[in-house]
Amino acid sequence: MSAVAVPIERTALLVCDLQNDFIHLEGAYGRAGQTAPEILALPERVRPLADLLRARGGWVISTNFTLVPGRGGEPMISPHLKRLRPFLVKGDFQPGNWGHRTVDTLQPVDVEVEKIAYSAFYMSRLEWVLRKCGVERLLVCGIVTNGGVASTVRDAHVRDFDTILLEDGCAAFSREVHEVSVAALRPICRVATVAAMLEEVANS
């Protein structure tokens, strides 16, 4: 965690997996009834910060969970995910489809990066994109705190990005799991609220 202030133009809101297939009631998870109020509230909560960053010259970059279509368009799903989410079907989280896109509330995003695992850095172009954009500081939000968010935050840390976890900008399927996950991340990154970052960006 850097003690030197990072300019807004080198700051990105990193939106983890806030996609239609996760969030929208007509998406893959919504159709299966796999949701939580804390998760559904995230896009509107984070939106003011996204808007302010855009206005000040910062970046909004989303990482989008992807099920790569294989032969016949059938999704390539890892065994553990098949066990956890048996409701996933052909077309879910497929690149180019509506469900794969970041929710409208947070559009437009500057760059959408496909991801295939918990960490958005694993076998993706995320680090390349961030370096090309000149990003040094990440404000991380999204879902789920104990999965994609935690893994991405840890991988950002080892890559020397100045990483800030938005405590109320991410969520899990239970409040307890969320709080335990946030506590586990405090030793490696700064933890702040959306309101605190709004004030900090507005005054920078």
Side-chain angles (χ1 to χ4, degrees):
M1 290 173 282
S2 172
V4 179
V6 177
I8 295 300
E9 61 270 18
R10 293 189 175 276
T11 298
L13 178 67
L14 189 65
V15 181
C16 297
D17 299 358
L18 293 183
Q19 301 160 253
N20 290 316
D21 265 336
F22 277 126
I23 302 294
H24 200 283
L25 292 179
E26 295 178 10
Y29 276 57
R31 296 193 309 267
Q34 297 288 314
T35 188
E38 293 85 359
I39 290 174
L40 296 178
L42 291 179
E44 285 294 346
R45 186 177 300 143
V46 173
R47 181 179 183 174
L49 183 56
D51 290 344
L52 182 59
L53 276 170
R54 288 189 197 97
R56 293 297 182 91
W59 295 83
V60 178
I61 297 175
S62 70
T63 67
N64 294 26
F65 178 68
T66 303
L67 292 178
V68 178
R71 183 174 294 168
E74 290 297 326
M76 300 181 186
I77 306 179
S78 61
H80 88 276
L81 186 58
K82 279 186 178 181
R83 290 192 299 271
L84 286 173
R85 307 292 184 238
F87 55 82
L88 293 173
V89 297
K90 182 178 178 179
D92 291 341
F93 296 100
Q94 180 173 318
N97 284 2
W98 166 84
H100 186 258
R101 284 184 55 78
T102 302
V103 293
D104 288 346
T105 303
L106 296 174
Q107 295 286 357
V109 298
D110 294 304
V111 187
E112 289 188 338
V113 177
E114 293 180 15
K115 52 167 279 195
I116 58 169
Y118 285 131
S119 173
F121 287 95
Y122 177 74
M123 296 185 73
S124 81
R125 68 186 72 177
L126 178 58
E127 185 171 6
W128 183 87
V129 164
L130 295 174
R131 303 297 185 196
K132 285 294 185 182
C133 294
V135 170
E136 298 175 4
R137 178 171 63 170
L138 299 175
L139 313 181
V140 183
C141 67
I143 57 175
V144 287
T145 318
N146 54 302
V149 172
S151 297
T152 300
V153 165
R154 292 180 187 280
D155 276 359
H157 171 73
V158 300
R159 287 167 173 80
D160 290 330
F161 287 99
D162 184 14
T163 307
I164 301 172
L165 176 68
L166 298 175
E167 182 174 13
D168 56 346
C170 55
F173 284 99
S174 83
R175 184 69 190 175
E176 182 182 6
V177 169
H178 168 76
E179 291 176 351
V180 169
S181 301
V182 170
L185 291 171
R186 288 184 185 276
I188 66 167
C189 72
R190 178 183 165 194
V191 176
T193 63
V194 172
M197 292 313 304
L198 274 168
E199 182 177 359
E200 193 168 310
V201 171
N203 293 331
S204 62

